[in-house]
Amino acid sequence: MISEQIYPAERSLLPAKRAMTVPPIFRRIGHGSEARDALQIALSIANQQGYTRLNDCQLETNRGAIMQADLFLEYLEDDDYHNPRILVLIVDQTERIADAKKLAESERRFRQIADTINEVFWILDLSDGSIEYVSSAYERIWGRSCAALLQHPQQWYEAIIDADKPAVNLTMAEFQDNGCQFEYRITRPDGAIRWISDTRYPLKDENDPIQRLIGVAKDITEQKAAENAILESNERFQIVAQATSDVVWDWNLVTDTIWWNDGMGKQFGYAPESLPSDSSSWTAHIHPQHRDRVLTKVQAAIHGNAQNWQDEYLFARADGSYALVIDRGFVIRDKDGKPIRMVGNIIDITQQRELEEQLRQSQRLEAIGQLTGGIAHDFNNLLTIILGNAEILTEDLAKGDQYRPTCTDDTRGSRTWRRVDASVARICAKANACPKSGGCQ
């Protein structure tokens, strides 16, 4: 807002001796007599020199509001040098000064925020390649001073390791007009290597040409180390999964997806890529009589505090037969204890159980053989006594004795049973001599 006021004045070569009267509108100006004295002097100078200016004055309007204004004072007089006046031009600067204060406050807040975050915020002037601003995080991450970077902008590029510079150059050249995000490594003065994620955007004016680049650079060294650790762990997992003959599985409990290794095809005849990606690829092949028990136990382990789970059940092969398996799993939880993954393996123990059954059968046969052999031995001892006594009686009795035929039959029967007993003993001896993994043929 601009307004004009004209006040009576006198041309004076010695304003100190002939002080002018302050116009009524300026009776209350500034915060004290100092500001009013400044206006008094300005009026005197205008009276003496014909023109003067007083900036950033605080004026109180007729309504009591405070106005920030610039005053332009000019000495006027008629052609006949009568009726001299002072022309006062008042330019309202209230909004401009308020906007300047808001801008200064915004700048202060911006610098306060930029200097407290862990990322490096920077502004680059494309016209001359100078850096207009860089936050203090640059000193923590790069290990160099902000002042040195402002003085030598190429210090940023020089810190990038040589192996990453070609990719950085290509990315900046290709995406400068649209902004880009790229990663590179820098070398600190102490020799440490840090990974940086740099995101930059063009800043355009109203005519659209790009005047500046603004960006945020973030230290991602720890993130890269974690990613490499996960990658190495996954590689080791893949190597173990390929090397083992067991069926290895990885169950994402959040998305309900299961990954199977090639053991699924080798052991049970299912190609992993032919199976559903969800948990039905496992549950559908559990024997119906075992399914509810197995699922109840595994859910109890997942939603409880258990870390390990194990169960034994029948698992359907692709040919329709069932394998007896042992299934073991390890529950992986996040920092809050929520289950997120489960990793484990399935072992086919069908043949092992068959061999164990054969061993038990062999052991039973061996026990029976030992028992039978003992009985045969004792029976043979009794037969020896009976046969001996029968032979003595036969010799002692006369040929016409009525008991002689009986003794003769006893002798003949005892010899027959002795041959049977000898056969049993041979069979038992043969059974005891067979390997314990199976019976004799």
Side-chain angles (χ1 to χ4, degrees), residues 305-349:
N305 296 322
Q307 289 186 331
N308 299 291
W309 163 83
Q310 176 177 319
D311 209 341
E312 184 175 310
Y313 55 89
L314 291 175
F315 190 83
R317 298 188 180 99
D319 61 6
S321 63
Y322 280 92
L324 182 62
V325 302
I326 289 180
D327 200 345
R328 299 185 179 96
F330 180 80
V331 182
I332 301 174
R333 305 179 187 276
D334 61 15
K335 61 181 181 179
D336 298 323
K338 179 182 178 182
I340 56 175
R341 286 177 63 195
M342 197 170 179
V343 179
N345 68 316
I346 300 175
I347 303 174
D348 186 348
I349 61 171

Side-chain angles (χ1 to χ4, degrees), residues 408-426:
T408 301
D409 292 341
D410 290 343
T411 301
R412 189 181 298 114
S414 296
R415 288 174 179 170
T416 301
W417 280 107
R418 195 171 191 179
R419 288 194 298 271
V420 173
D421 181 72
S423 298
V424 172
R426 285 194 301 271

Side-chain angles (χ1 to χ4, degrees), residues 249-260 264 272-285:
W249 50 268
D250 186 348
W251 185 8
N252 187 321
L253 300 175
V254 178
T255 61
D256 190 31
T257 55
I258 291 187
W259 172 89
W260 300 94
M264 193 65 164
E273 60 273 11
S274 68
L275 295 171
S277 60
D278 60 13
S279 58
S280 65
S281 61
W282 170 55
T283 59
H285 298 106

Side-chain angles (χ1 to χ4, degrees), residues 296-307:
T296 298
K297 290 181 65 176
V298 75
Q299 290 298 326
I302 291 172
H303 298 293
N305 296 322
Q307 289 186 331

